[in-house]
Amino acid sequence: MANLIRRDNRTVGRQDTQDYRWDPFRVMDAFLRWDPSRAENGLTPSGGEFTARFDVKETKNAYVLRADVPGIKEDGVDISLNGNILTISGKRDEERREEGEQYFAVERSHGSFTRSFSLPDNVDPESISADLKQGVLTVQIPKKPEAQPRKIAVSKTTDGGQAKA
């Protein structure tokens, strides 16, 4: 029998009253970050709902969405565009458990996720592309060429107010 112990780097209660200082900003930050639907809060069963985490950035030519979706294959991700709403959904299946196997910890989550993003009017919906490599989904949403900034030349005027080339 294996002697496995799950250890967390969390402290339970105060370690030493000398090291403990009450910080109202830390308390407020923890309160604002608290999500009652997350598995880590102890209110949901172990192996809680899988949630893909997204990074959204804007470059000069496109908007880029990147999501960590480990364990999901290309056919497990669905990307659709309805008007200006881009919806990304997927499912990570629970691994099969064999009879007679004994688990000491089950922390990896599984399940379905869906995220929707409102796209601005300056995108080219026909050129949206997606790529899934090593568990990272990257969605490129190009901007329309006319929506990109361009430099306008200023011409000199003569005394009569006519532009001189």
Side-chain angles (χ1 to χ4, degrees):
M1 185 62 66
N3 187 13
L4 298 177
I5 299 172
R6 177 180 163 211
R7 298 192 189 276
D8 290 338
N9 291 330
R10 301 180 196 152
T11 58
V12 179
R14 296 183 192 178
Q15 288 181 342
D16 187 8
T17 56
Q18 185 178 7
D19 294 336
Y20 178 79
R21 269 187 282 155
W22 183 75
D23 183 1
F25 296 107
R26 185 178 298 164
V27 171
M28 189 54 124
D29 181 57
F31 177 72
L32 291 174
R33 291 177 188 266
W34 180 65
D35 183 2
S37 63
R38 288 182 53 185
E40 293 91 29
N41 64 16
L43 299 176
T44 58
S46 63
E49 186 82 16
F50 172 70
T51 304
R53 307 283 185 189
F54 281 83
D55 291 339
V56 180
K57 73 175 181 177
E58 179 180 7
T59 64
K60 181 179 177 183
N61 301 322
Y63 298 95
V64 180
L65 306 175
R66 291 176 53 103
D68 290 334
V69 290
I72 298 179
K73 295 185 173 33
E74 289 86 2
D75 59 351
V77 176
D78 183 40
I79 303 173
S80 63
L81 182 65
N82 186 5
N84 70 333
I85 304 294
L86 180 75
T87 303
I88 303 172
S89 58
K91 182 177 181 183
R92 184 160 80 181
D93 295 323
E94 183 177 10
E95 291 183 9
R96 291 179 34 154
R97 296 183 184 184
E98 301 293 326
E99 178 119 4
E101 292 180 333
Q102 182 178 3
Y103 284 82
F104 296 98
V106 178
E107 296 178 343
R108 298 184 319 141
S109 58
H110 60 276
S112 300
F113 73 92
T114 299
R115 293 288 301 269
S116 294
F117 300 91
S118 296
L119 301 181
D121 294 331
N122 67 342
V123 300
D124 182 8
E126 302 300 320
S127 300
I128 295 176
S129 63
D131 184 35
L132 180 62
K133 286 184 184 172
Q134 298 179 349
V136 178
L137 174 69
T138 303
V139 180
Q140 294 275 342
I141 308 164
K143 295 179 182 178
K144 292 179 184 175
E146 63 269 8
Q148 296 179 16
R150 63 183 178 99
K151 185 144 177 111
I152 299 172
V154 178
S155 60
K156 291 185 178 181
T157 58
T158 61
D159 292 336
Q162 298 290 330
K164 187 177 185 181

